[in-house]
Amino acid sequence: MKIDHIGIATRGIEDALGFWRDALGLEVKHTETVEEQGVRVAMLPVGEPRVELLEPTGPDSPVAKFLEKRGPGIHHVAVRVADIRAALARLRAEGARLIDEEPRVGAGGCLVAFVHPAASGGVLLELVQGTNEPAGQSTEGR
Ligand code: CO
């Protein structure tokens, strides 16, 4: 397993880039809107792992609700796994509370699934299977 990215909730990606890109010096490699999750994302590599800036697309977005409750900051940690279905099966067998019983397509066209923060002691965990391929390339059936 590897850390794939750290998801950071922001009220606006443009403002957040004032720090992550301009002050710190990271490069924006990829931006996209993931309608299904109600977020706009910007990916900034830090070595192999990436910082994923998240901005809600509307008031009903889970990230909008997170911002309301907790304010901007670390939203989730994403771990890359070789076989997401096997990882979910293992967690399920261990009694870990899952948000997604089945993987879905996330940013970059990867298969993703979220594990409830209650399972890990307070950290929302995202499992990711796939590479950093651009969106639009299906990873279904891999
Ligand atoms: Co993420």
Side-chain angles (χ1 to χ4, degrees):
M1 289 187 212
K2 284 179 180 171
I3 296 288
D4 186 85
H5 63 266
I6 311 283
I8 298 176
T10 74
R11 295 209 163 90
I13 285 173
E14 277 313 312
D15 279 352
L17 287 177
F19 175 77
W20 294 99
R21 181 191 57 200
D22 303 338
L24 187 61
L26 299 179
E27 235 183 286
V28 178
K29 279 285 184 215
H30 179 72
T31 58
E32 85 176 89
T33 300
V34 186
E35 291 293 352
E36 199 206 358
Q37 290 171 32
V39 288
R40 234 167 50 84
V41 309
M43 290 291 198
L44 298 85
V46 187
E48 196 178 338
R50 296 162 293 164
V51 164
E52 178 186 62
L53 300 178
L54 302 158
E55 173 190 312
T57 54
D60 292 333
S61 157
V63 172
K65 287 172 186 149
F66 177 92
L67 286 166
E68 232 170 75
K69 260 196 266 175
R70 314 259 299 258
I74 292 181
H75 177 262
H76 64 271
V77 172
V79 170
R80 197 184 310 174
V81 296
D83 182 343
I84 194 167
R85 286 187 174 84
L88 284 171
R90 180 190 169 122
L91 286 162
R92 200 178 291 119
E94 293 291 331
R97 186 165 157 198
L98 305 177
I99 292 175
D100 298 312
E101 292 292 333
E102 287 296 323
R104 49 191 164 122
V105 178
C110 293
L111 285 181
V112 305
F114 283 91
V115 181
H116 199 280
S120 66
V123 178
L124 175 61
L125 183 70
E126 178 183 8
L127 303 174
V128 181
Q129 176 191 320
T131 56
N132 306 340
E133 290 154 353
Q137 232 169 319
S138 175
T139 52
E140 285 294 339
R142 254 195 215 170

